[in-house]
mmCIF file with all atom_site columns, all heavy atoms in Angstrom:
data_model
loop_
_atom_site.group_PDB
_atom_site.id
_atom_site.type_symbol
_atom_site.label_atom_id
_atom_site.label_alt_id
_atom_site.label_comp_id
_atom_site.label_asym_id
_atom_site.label_entity_id
_atom_site.label_seq_id
_atom_site.pdbx_PDB_ins_code
_atom_site.Cartn_x
_atom_site.Cartn_y
_atom_site.Cartn_z
_atom_site.occupancy
_atom_site.B_iso_or_equiv
_atom_site.pdbx_formal_charge
_atom_site.auth_seq_id
_atom_site.auth_comp_id
_atom_site.auth_asym_id
_atom_site.auth_atom_id
_atom_site.pdbx_PDB_model_num
ATOM 1   N N   . ASN F 1 1  ? 4.982  -13.913 -11.631 1.00 98.00 ? 1215 ASN F N   1
ATOM 2   C CA  . ASN F 1 1  ? 4.977  -12.675 -10.858 1.00 98.00 ? 1215 ASN F CA  1
ATOM 3   C C   . ASN F 1 1  ? 4.580  -12.954 -9.410  1.00 98.00 ? 1215 ASN F C   1
ATOM 4   O O   . ASN F 1 1  ? 3.422  -13.248 -9.124  1.00 98.00 ? 1215 ASN F O   1
ATOM 5   C CB  . ASN F 1 1  ? 3.997  -11.670 -11.468 1.00 98.00 ? 1215 ASN F CB  1
ATOM 6   C CG  . ASN F 1 1  ? 4.348  -11.330 -12.902 1.00 98.00 ? 1215 ASN F CG  1
ATOM 7   O OD1 . ASN F 1 1  ? 5.518  -11.370 -13.289 1.00 98.00 ? 1215 ASN F OD1 1
ATOM 8   N ND2 . ASN F 1 1  ? 3.346  -11.017 -13.703 1.00 98.00 ? 1215 ASN F ND2 1
ATOM 9   N N   . VAL F 1 2  ? 5.548  -12.867 -8.529  1.00 98.00 ? 1216 VAL F N   1
ATOM 10  C CA  . VAL F 1 2  ? 5.300  -13.076 -7.101  1.00 98.00 ? 1216 VAL F CA  1
ATOM 11  C C   . VAL F 1 2  ? 5.021  -11.729 -6.438  1.00 98.00 ? 1216 VAL F C   1
ATOM 12  O O   . VAL F 1 2  ? 3.890  -11.454 -6.028  1.00 98.00 ? 1216 VAL F O   1
ATOM 13  C CB  . VAL F 1 2  ? 6.484  -13.800 -6.436  1.00 98.00 ? 1216 VAL F CB  1
ATOM 14  C CG1 . VAL F 1 2  ? 6.219  -14.006 -4.945  1.00 98.00 ? 1216 VAL F CG1 1
ATOM 15  C CG2 . VAL F 1 2  ? 6.745  -15.148 -7.115  1.00 98.00 ? 1216 VAL F CG2 1
ATOM 16  N N   . ALA F 1 3  ? 6.043  -10.879 -6.354  1.00 97.00 ? 1217 ALA F N   1
ATOM 17  C CA  . ALA F 1 3  ? 5.849  -9.546  -5.773  1.00 97.00 ? 1217 ALA F CA  1
ATOM 18  C C   . ALA F 1 3  ? 6.767  -8.534  -6.445  1.00 97.00 ? 1217 ALA F C   1
ATOM 19  O O   . ALA F 1 3  ? 7.537  -7.834  -5.780  1.00 97.00 ? 1217 ALA F O   1
ATOM 20  C CB  . ALA F 1 3  ? 6.098  -9.587  -4.271  1.00 97.00 ? 1217 ALA F CB  1
ATOM 21  N N   . PRO F 1 4  ? 6.714  -8.427  -7.792  1.00 98.00 ? 1218 PRO F N   1
ATOM 22  C CA  . PRO F 1 4  ? 7.561  -7.467  -8.491  1.00 98.00 ? 1218 PRO F CA  1
ATOM 23  C C   . PRO F 1 4  ? 6.967  -6.062  -8.441  1.00 98.00 ? 1218 PRO F C   1
ATOM 24  O O   . PRO F 1 4  ? 5.807  -5.877  -8.047  1.00 98.00 ? 1218 PRO F O   1
ATOM 25  C CB  . PRO F 1 4  ? 7.564  -7.995  -9.932  1.00 98.00 ? 1218 PRO F CB  1
ATOM 26  C CG  . PRO F 1 4  ? 6.209  -8.614  -10.075 1.00 98.00 ? 1218 PRO F CG  1
ATOM 27  C CD  . PRO F 1 4  ? 5.883  -9.206  -8.726  1.00 98.00 ? 1218 PRO F CD  1
ATOM 28  N N   . ASP F 1 5  ? 7.752  -5.074  -8.841  1.00 97.00 ? 1219 ASP F N   1
ATOM 29  C CA  . ASP F 1 5  ? 7.265  -3.705  -9.006  1.00 97.00 ? 1219 ASP F CA  1
ATOM 30  C C   . ASP F 1 5  ? 6.467  -3.662  -10.314 1.00 97.00 ? 1219 ASP F C   1
ATOM 31  O O   . ASP F 1 5  ? 7.034  -3.667  -11.399 1.00 97.00 ? 1219 ASP F O   1
ATOM 32  C CB  . ASP F 1 5  ? 8.449  -2.740  -9.055  1.00 97.00 ? 1219 ASP F CB  1
ATOM 33  C CG  . ASP F 1 5  ? 8.023  -1.277  -9.167  1.00 97.00 ? 1219 ASP F CG  1
ATOM 34  O OD1 . ASP F 1 5  ? 6.855  -1.007  -9.521  1.00 97.00 ? 1219 ASP F OD1 1
ATOM 35  O OD2 . ASP F 1 5  ? 8.881  -0.405  -8.935  1.00 97.00 ? 1219 ASP F OD2 1
ATOM 36  N N   . MET F 1 6  ? 5.149  -3.614  -10.210 1.00 96.00 ? 1220 MET F N   1
ATOM 37  C CA  . MET F 1 6  ? 4.296  -3.733  -11.384 1.00 96.00 ? 1220 MET F CA  1
ATOM 38  C C   . MET F 1 6  ? 4.368  -2.512  -12.299 1.00 96.00 ? 1220 MET F C   1
ATOM 39  O O   . MET F 1 6  ? 3.906  -2.570  -13.441 1.00 96.00 ? 1220 MET F O   1
ATOM 40  C CB  . MET F 1 6  ? 2.851  -3.979  -10.949 1.00 96.00 ? 1220 MET F CB  1
ATOM 41  C CG  . MET F 1 6  ? 2.650  -5.213  -10.078 1.00 96.00 ? 1220 MET F CG  1
ATOM 42  S SD  . MET F 1 6  ? 3.135  -6.756  -10.876 1.00 96.00 ? 1220 MET F SD  1
ATOM 43  C CE  . MET F 1 6  ? 1.834  -6.949  -12.080 1.00 96.00 ? 1220 MET F CE  1
ATOM 44  N N   . SER F 1 7  ? 4.954  -1.428  -11.836 1.00 96.00 ? 1221 SER F N   1
ATOM 45  C CA  . SER F 1 7  ? 5.033  -0.227  -12.681 1.00 96.00 ? 1221 SER F CA  1
ATOM 46  C C   . SER F 1 7  ? 5.924  -0.456  -13.900 1.00 96.00 ? 1221 SER F C   1
ATOM 47  O O   . SER F 1 7  ? 5.815  0.280   -14.885 1.00 96.00 ? 1221 SER F O   1
ATOM 48  C CB  . SER F 1 7  ? 5.550  0.961   -11.872 1.00 96.00 ? 1221 SER F CB  1
ATOM 49  O OG  . SER F 1 7  ? 6.917  0.812   -11.529 1.00 96.00 ? 1221 SER F OG  1
ATOM 50  N N   . TYR F 1 8  ? 6.786  -1.470  -13.851 1.00 96.00 ? 1222 TYR F N   1
ATOM 51  C CA  . TYR F 1 8  ? 7.684  -1.690  -14.988 1.00 96.00 ? 1222 TYR F CA  1
ATOM 52  C C   . TYR F 1 8  ? 6.949  -2.219  -16.220 1.00 96.00 ? 1222 TYR F C   1
ATOM 53  O O   . TYR F 1 8  ? 7.474  -2.150  -17.331 1.00 96.00 ? 1222 TYR F O   1
ATOM 54  C CB  . TYR F 1 8  ? 8.824  -2.632  -14.586 1.00 96.00 ? 1222 TYR F CB  1
ATOM 55  C CG  . TYR F 1 8  ? 9.915  -1.900  -13.840 1.00 96.00 ? 1222 TYR F CG  1
ATOM 56  C CD1 . TYR F 1 8  ? 9.823  -1.692  -12.471 1.00 96.00 ? 1222 TYR F CD1 1
ATOM 57  C CD2 . TYR F 1 8  ? 11.026 -1.378  -14.508 1.00 96.00 ? 1222 TYR F CD2 1
ATOM 58  C CE1 . TYR F 1 8  ? 10.802 -0.992  -11.778 1.00 96.00 ? 1222 TYR F CE1 1
ATOM 59  C CE2 . TYR F 1 8  ? 12.012 -0.695  -13.828 1.00 96.00 ? 1222 TYR F CE2 1
ATOM 60  C CZ  . TYR F 1 8  ? 11.898 -0.496  -12.467 1.00 96.00 ? 1222 TYR F CZ  1
ATOM 61  O OH  . TYR F 1 8  ? 12.875 0.210   -11.795 1.00 96.00 ? 1222 TYR F OH  1
ATOM 62  N N   . TRP F 1 9  ? 5.744  -2.730  -16.037 1.00 95.00 ? 1223 TRP F N   1
ATOM 63  C CA  . TRP F 1 9  ? 4.969  -3.131  -17.216 1.00 95.00 ? 1223 TRP F CA  1
ATOM 64  C C   . TRP F 1 9  ? 4.426  -1.920  -17.973 1.00 95.00 ? 1223 TRP F C   1
ATOM 65  O O   . TRP F 1 9  ? 3.986  -2.057  -19.106 1.00 95.00 ? 1223 TRP F O   1
ATOM 66  C CB  . TRP F 1 9  ? 3.835  -4.069  -16.812 1.00 95.00 ? 1223 TRP F CB  1
ATOM 67  C CG  . TRP F 1 9  ? 4.264  -5.506  -16.789 1.00 95.00 ? 1223 TRP F CG  1
ATOM 68  C CD1 . TRP F 1 9  ? 4.224  -6.401  -17.815 1.00 95.00 ? 1223 TRP F CD1 1
ATOM 69  C CD2 . TRP F 1 9  ? 4.816  -6.222  -15.678 1.00 95.00 ? 1223 TRP F CD2 1
ATOM 70  N NE1 . TRP F 1 9  ? 4.708  -7.622  -17.419 1.00 95.00 ? 1223 TRP F NE1 1
ATOM 71  C CE2 . TRP F 1 9  ? 5.078  -7.539  -16.110 1.00 95.00 ? 1223 TRP F CE2 1
ATOM 72  C CE3 . TRP F 1 9  ? 5.098  -5.871  -14.357 1.00 95.00 ? 1223 TRP F CE3 1
ATOM 73  C CZ2 . TRP F 1 9  ? 5.623  -8.511  -15.268 1.00 95.00 ? 1223 TRP F CZ2 1
ATOM 74  C CZ3 . TRP F 1 9  ? 5.646  -6.839  -13.527 1.00 95.00 ? 1223 TRP F CZ3 1
ATOM 75  C CH2 . TRP F 1 9  ? 5.897  -8.138  -13.980 1.00 95.00 ? 1223 TRP F CH2 1
ATOM 76  N N   . ASP F 1 10 ? 4.483  -0.735  -17.362 1.00 94.00 ? 1224 ASP F N   1
ATOM 77  C CA  . ASP F 1 10 ? 4.060  0.473   -18.071 1.00 94.00 ? 1224 ASP F CA  1
ATOM 78  C C   . ASP F 1 10 ? 4.993  0.783   -19.236 1.00 94.00 ? 1224 ASP F C   1
ATOM 79  O O   . ASP F 1 10 ? 4.608  1.503   -20.160 1.00 94.00 ? 1224 ASP F O   1
ATOM 80  C CB  . ASP F 1 10 ? 4.037  1.678   -17.116 1.00 94.00 ? 1224 ASP F CB  1
ATOM 81  C CG  . ASP F 1 10 ? 2.994  1.540   -16.026 1.00 94.00 ? 1224 ASP F CG  1
ATOM 82  O OD1 . ASP F 1 10 ? 2.062  0.718   -16.190 1.00 94.00 ? 1224 ASP F OD1 1
ATOM 83  O OD2 . ASP F 1 10 ? 3.114  2.244   -14.997 1.00 94.00 ? 1224 ASP F OD2 1
ATOM 84  N N   . GLY F 1 11 ? 6.206  0.243   -19.191 1.00 93.00 ? 1225 GLY F N   1
ATOM 85  C CA  . GLY F 1 11 ? 7.185  0.537   -20.229 1.00 93.00 ? 1225 GLY F CA  1
ATOM 86  C C   . GLY F 1 11 ? 7.083  -0.317  -21.461 1.00 93.00 ? 1225 GLY F C   1
ATOM 87  O O   . GLY F 1 11 ? 7.818  -0.100  -22.440 1.00 93.00 ? 1225 GLY F O   1
ATOM 88  N N   . ILE F 1 12 ? 6.196  -1.316  -21.472 1.00 92.00 ? 1226 ILE F N   1
ATOM 89  C CA  . ILE F 1 12 ? 6.061  -2.217  -22.618 1.00 92.00 ? 1226 ILE F CA  1
ATOM 90  C C   . ILE F 1 12 ? 4.594  -2.542  -22.864 1.00 92.00 ? 1226 ILE F C   1
ATOM 91  O O   . ILE F 1 12 ? 3.749  -2.338  -21.998 1.00 92.00 ? 1226 ILE F O   1
ATOM 92  C CB  . ILE F 1 12 ? 6.829  -3.547  -22.403 1.00 92.00 ? 1226 ILE F CB  1
ATOM 93  C CG1 . ILE F 1 12 ? 6.326  -4.264  -21.130 1.00 92.00 ? 1226 ILE F CG1 1
ATOM 94  C CG2 . ILE F 1 12 ? 8.332  -3.325  -22.370 1.00 92.00 ? 1226 ILE F CG2 1
ATOM 95  C CD1 . ILE F 1 12 ? 6.890  -5.657  -20.924 1.00 92.00 ? 1226 ILE F CD1 1
ATOM 96  N N   . ILE F 1 13 ? 4.336  -3.036  -24.059 1.00 88.00 ? 1227 ILE F N   1
ATOM 97  C CA  . ILE F 1 13 ? 3.076  -3.733  -24.329 1.00 88.00 ? 1227 ILE F CA  1
ATOM 98  C C   . ILE F 1 13 ? 3.405  -5.217  -24.172 1.00 88.00 ? 1227 ILE F C   1
ATOM 99  O O   . ILE F 1 13 ? 3.937  -5.849  -25.081 1.00 88.00 ? 1227 ILE F O   1
ATOM 100 C CB  . ILE F 1 13 ? 2.534  -3.419  -25.732 1.00 88.00 ? 1227 ILE F CB  1
ATOM 101 C CG1 . ILE F 1 13 ? 2.312  -1.914  -25.895 1.00 88.00 ? 1227 ILE F CG1 1
ATOM 102 C CG2 . ILE F 1 13 ? 1.233  -4.183  -25.995 1.00 88.00 ? 1227 ILE F CG2 1
ATOM 103 C CD1 . ILE F 1 13 ? 1.920  -1.493  -27.294 1.00 88.00 ? 1227 ILE F CD1 1
ATOM 104 N N   . GLY F 1 14 ? 3.181  -5.735  -22.973 1.00 80.00 ? 1228 GLY F N   1
ATOM 105 C CA  . GLY F 1 14 ? 3.642  -7.076  -22.624 1.00 80.00 ? 1228 GLY F CA  1
ATOM 106 C C   . GLY F 1 14 ? 3.178  -8.135  -23.607 1.00 80.00 ? 1228 GLY F C   1
ATOM 107 O O   . GLY F 1 14 ? 1.983  -8.263  -23.875 1.00 80.00 ? 1228 GLY F O   1
ATOM 108 N N   . CYS F 1 15 ? 4.168  -8.891  -24.135 1.00 75.00 ? 1229 CYS F N   1
ATOM 109 C CA  . CYS F 1 15 ? 3.899  -9.973  -25.103 1.00 75.00 ? 1229 CYS F CA  1
ATOM 110 C C   . CYS F 1 15 ? 3.189  -9.459  -26.350 1.00 75.00 ? 1229 CYS F C   1
ATOM 111 O O   . CYS F 1 15 ? 2.608  -10.238 -27.111 1.00 75.00 ? 1229 CYS F O   1
ATOM 112 C CB  . CYS F 1 15 ? 3.095  -11.096 -24.458 1.00 75.00 ? 1229 CYS F CB  1
ATOM 113 S SG  . CYS F 1 15 ? 3.927  -11.836 -23.041 1.00 75.00 ? 1229 CYS F SG  1
ATOM 114 N N   . GLY F 1 16 ? 3.203  -8.124  -26.544 1.00 77.00 ? 1230 GLY F N   1
ATOM 115 C CA  . GLY F 1 16 ? 2.540  -7.533  -27.701 1.00 77.00 ? 1230 GLY F CA  1
ATOM 116 C C   . GLY F 1 16 ? 1.036  -7.554  -27.610 1.00 77.00 ? 1230 GLY F C   1
ATOM 117 O O   . GLY F 1 16 ? 0.346  -7.360  -28.621 1.00 77.00 ? 1230 GLY F O   1
ATOM 118 N N   . LEU F 1 17 ? 0.491  -7.767  -26.406 1.00 79.00 ? 1231 LEU F N   1
ATOM 119 C CA  . LEU F 1 17 ? -0.956 -7.898  -26.220 1.00 79.00 ? 1231 LEU F CA  1
ATOM 120 C C   . LEU F 1 17 ? -1.511 -6.617  -25.612 1.00 79.00 ? 1231 LEU F C   1
ATOM 121 O O   . LEU F 1 17 ? -1.482 -6.438  -24.384 1.00 79.00 ? 1231 LEU F O   1
ATOM 122 C CB  . LEU F 1 17 ? -1.270 -9.100  -25.323 1.00 79.00 ? 1231 LEU F CB  1
ATOM 123 C CG  . LEU F 1 17 ? -0.806 -10.465 -25.841 1.00 79.00 ? 1231 LEU F CG  1
ATOM 124 C CD1 . LEU F 1 17 ? -1.036 -11.536 -24.789 1.00 79.00 ? 1231 LEU F CD1 1
ATOM 125 C CD2 . LEU F 1 17 ? -1.509 -10.817 -27.140 1.00 79.00 ? 1231 LEU F CD2 1
ATOM 126 N N   . GLU F 1 18 ? -1.997 -5.729  -26.454 1.00 78.00 ? 1232 GLU F N   1
ATOM 127 C CA  . GLU F 1 18 ? -2.590 -4.480  -25.982 1.00 78.00 ? 1232 GLU F CA  1
ATOM 128 C C   . GLU F 1 18 ? -3.878 -4.774  -25.233 1.00 78.00 ? 1232 GLU F C   1
ATOM 129 O O   . GLU F 1 18 ? -4.707 -5.584  -25.659 1.00 78.00 ? 1232 GLU F O   1
ATOM 130 C CB  . GLU F 1 18 ? -2.884 -3.562  -27.173 1.00 78.00 ? 1232 GLU F CB  1
ATOM 131 C CG  . GLU F 1 18 ? -3.337 -2.171  -26.793 1.00 78.00 ? 1232 GLU F CG  1
ATOM 132 C CD  . GLU F 1 18 ? -2.205 -1.286  -26.310 1.00 78.00 ? 1232 GLU F CD  1
ATOM 133 O OE1 . GLU F 1 18 ? -1.345 -0.912  -27.136 1.00 78.00 ? 1232 GLU F OE1 1
ATOM 134 O OE2 . GLU F 1 18 ? -2.198 -0.982  -25.096 1.00 78.00 ? 1232 GLU F OE2 1
ATOM 135 N N   . GLY F 1 19 ? -4.045 -4.143  -24.084 1.00 78.00 ? 1233 GLY F N   1
ATOM 136 C CA  . GLY F 1 19 ? -5.298 -4.272  -23.349 1.00 78.00 ? 1233 GLY F CA  1
ATOM 137 C C   . GLY F 1 19 ? -5.412 -5.490  -22.466 1.00 78.00 ? 1233 GLY F C   1
ATOM 138 O O   . GLY F 1 19 ? -6.485 -5.748  -21.906 1.00 78.00 ? 1233 GLY F O   1
ATOM 139 N N   . HIS F 1 20 ? -4.331 -6.251  -22.304 1.00 86.00 ? 1234 HIS F N   1
ATOM 140 C CA  . HIS F 1 20 ? -4.354 -7.416  -21.415 1.00 86.00 ? 1234 HIS F CA  1
ATOM 141 C C   . HIS F 1 20 ? -3.570 -7.068  -20.156 1.00 86.00 ? 1234 HIS F C   1
ATOM 142 O O   . HIS F 1 20 ? -2.356 -6.890  -20.199 1.00 86.00 ? 1234 HIS F O   1
ATOM 143 C CB  . HIS F 1 20 ? -3.748 -8.641  -22.099 1.00 86.00 ? 1234 HIS F CB  1
ATOM 144 C CG  . HIS F 1 20 ? -4.650 -9.257  -23.122 1.00 86.00 ? 1234 HIS F CG  1
ATOM 145 N ND1 . HIS F 1 20 ? -4.844 -8.692  -24.361 1.00 86.00 ? 1234 HIS F ND1 1
ATOM 146 C CD2 . HIS F 1 20 ? -5.426 -10.372 -23.071 1.00 86.00 ? 1234 HIS F CD2 1
ATOM 147 C CE1 . HIS F 1 20 ? -5.694 -9.453  -25.049 1.00 86.00 ? 1234 HIS F CE1 1
ATOM 148 N NE2 . HIS F 1 20 ? -6.061 -10.468 -24.290 1.00 86.00 ? 1234 HIS F NE2 1
ATOM 149 N N   . PRO F 1 21 ? -4.226 -6.977  -19.006 1.00 94.00 ? 1235 PRO F N   1
ATOM 150 C CA  . PRO F 1 21 ? -3.544 -6.593  -17.771 1.00 94.00 ? 1235 PRO F CA  1
ATOM 151 C C   . PRO F 1 21 ? -2.636 -7.693  -17.246 1.00 94.00 ? 1235 PRO F C   1
ATOM 152 O O   . PRO F 1 21 ? -2.729 -8.854  -17.650 1.00 94.00 ? 1235 PRO F O   1
ATOM 153 C CB  . PRO F 1 21 ? -4.701 -6.327  -16.811 1.00 94.00 ? 1235 PRO F CB  1
ATOM 154 C CG  . PRO F 1 21 ? -5.799 -7.210  -17.304 1.00 94.00 ? 1235 PRO F CG  1
ATOM 155 C CD  . PRO F 1 21 ? -5.660 -7.228  -18.799 1.00 94.00 ? 1235 PRO F CD  1
ATOM 156 N N   . VAL F 1 22 ? -1.759 -7.301  -16.343 1.00 96.00 ? 1236 VAL F N   1
ATOM 157 C CA  . VAL F 1 22 ? -0.908 -8.263  -15.643 1.00 96.00 ? 1236 VAL F CA  1
ATOM 158 C C   . VAL F 1 22 ? -1.226 -8.201  -14.156 1.00 96.00 ? 1236 VAL F C   1
ATOM 159 O O   . VAL F 1 22 ? -1.752 -7.201  -13.659 1.00 96.00 ? 1236 VAL F O   1
ATOM 160 C CB  . VAL F 1 22 ? 0.587  -7.983  -15.884 1.00 96.00 ? 1236 VAL F CB  1
ATOM 161 C CG1 . VAL F 1 22 ? 0.967  -8.267  -17.318 1.00 96.00 ? 1236 VAL F CG1 1
ATOM 162 C CG2 . VAL F 1 22 ? 0.940  -6.541  -15.506 1.00 96.00 ? 1236 VAL F CG2 1
ATOM 163 N N   . THR F 1 23 ? -0.897 -9.280  -13.464 1.00 97.00 ? 1237 THR F N   1
ATOM 164 C CA  . THR F 1 23 ? -1.140 -9.321  -12.027 1.00 97.00 ? 1237 THR F CA  1
ATOM 165 C C   . THR F 1 23 ? -0.014 -10.092 -11.354 1.00 97.00 ? 1237 THR F C   1
ATOM 166 O O   . THR F 1 23 ? 0.921  -10.571 -12.016 1.00 97.00 ? 1237 THR F O   1
ATOM 167 C CB  . THR F 1 23 ? -2.518 -9.940  -11.712 1.00 97.00 ? 1237 THR F CB  1
ATOM 168 O OG1 . THR F 1 23 ? -2.834 -9.704  -10.338 1.00 97.00 ? 1237 THR F OG1 1
ATOM 169 C CG2 . THR F 1 23 ? -2.547 -11.426 -12.018 1.00 97.00 ? 1237 THR F CG2 1
ATOM 170 N N   . SER F 1 24 ? -0.093 -10.211 -10.039 1.00 98.00 ? 1238 SER F N   1
ATOM 171 C CA  . SER F 1 24 ? 0.938  -10.887 -9.261  1.00 98.00 ? 1238 SER F CA  1
ATOM 172 C C   . SER F 1 24 ? 0.310  -11.483 -8.008  1.00 98.00 ? 1238 SER F C   1
ATOM 173 O O   . SER F 1 24 ? -0.819 -11.141 -7.629  1.00 98.00 ? 1238 SER F O   1
ATOM 174 C CB  . SER F 1 24 ? 2.041  -9.901  -8.865  1.00 98.00 ? 1238 SER F CB  1
ATOM 175 O OG  . SER F 1 24 ? 1.516  -8.917  -7.972  1.00 98.00 ? 1238 SER F OG  1
ATOM 176 N N   . LEU F 1 25 ? 1.050  -12.361 -7.367  1.00 98.00 ? 1239 LEU F N   1
ATOM 177 C CA  . LEU F 1 25 ? 0.559  -12.929 -6.110  1.00 98.00 ? 1239 LEU F CA  1
ATOM 178 C C   . LEU F 1 25 ? 0.362  -11.847 -5.059  1.00 98.00 ? 1239 LEU F C   1
ATOM 179 O O   . LEU F 1 25 ? -0.549 -11.929 -4.238  1.00 98.00 ? 1239 LEU F O   1
ATOM 180 C CB  . LEU F 1 25 ? 1.535  -13.993 -5.612  1.00 98.00 ? 1239 LEU F CB  1
ATOM 181 C CG  . LEU F 1 25 ? 1.519  -15.328 -6.361  1.00 98.00 ? 1239 LEU F CG  1
ATOM 182 C CD1 . LEU F 1 25 ? 2.650  -16.225 -5.884  1.00 98.00 ? 1239 LEU F CD1 1
ATOM 183 C CD2 . LEU F 1 25 ? 0.179  -16.027 -6.190  1.00 98.00 ? 1239 LEU F CD2 1
ATOM 184 N N   . SER F 1 26 ? 1.215  -10.822 -5.066  1.00 97.00 ? 1240 SER F N   1
ATOM 185 C CA  . SER F 1 26 ? 1.087  -9.754  -4.074  1.00 97.00 ? 1240 SER F CA  1
ATOM 186 C C   . SER F 1 26 ? -0.190 -8.948  -4.274  1.00 97.00 ? 1240 SER F C   1
ATOM 187 O O   . SER F 1 26 ? -0.695 -8.347  -3.319  1.00 97.00 ? 1240 SER F O   1
ATOM 188 C CB  . SER F 1 26 ? 2.310  -8.838  -4.123  1.00 97.00 ? 1240 SER F CB  1
ATOM 189 O OG  . SER F 1 26 ? 2.410  -8.178  -5.370  1.00 97.00 ? 1240 SER F OG  1
#
C-alpha cells in the first residue's frame, strides 16, 4: 500500500482478520 484509497478496505474483512487495521505509506 503506497497511496491507495483506504476506504475500499471497508468493503472486506481483509485476509479474514477481524480487528486488524491496514495502513499505507501515505
Side-chain angles (χ1 to χ4, degrees):
N1215 301 331
V1216 180
D1219 182 343
M1220 302 300 288
S1221 70
Y1222 279 85
W1223 272 270
D1224 295 341
I1226 58 173
I1227 302 174
C1229 301
L1231 299 173
E1232 187 76 69
H1234 285 76
V1236 291
T1237 192
S1238 66
L1239 286 173
S1240 64

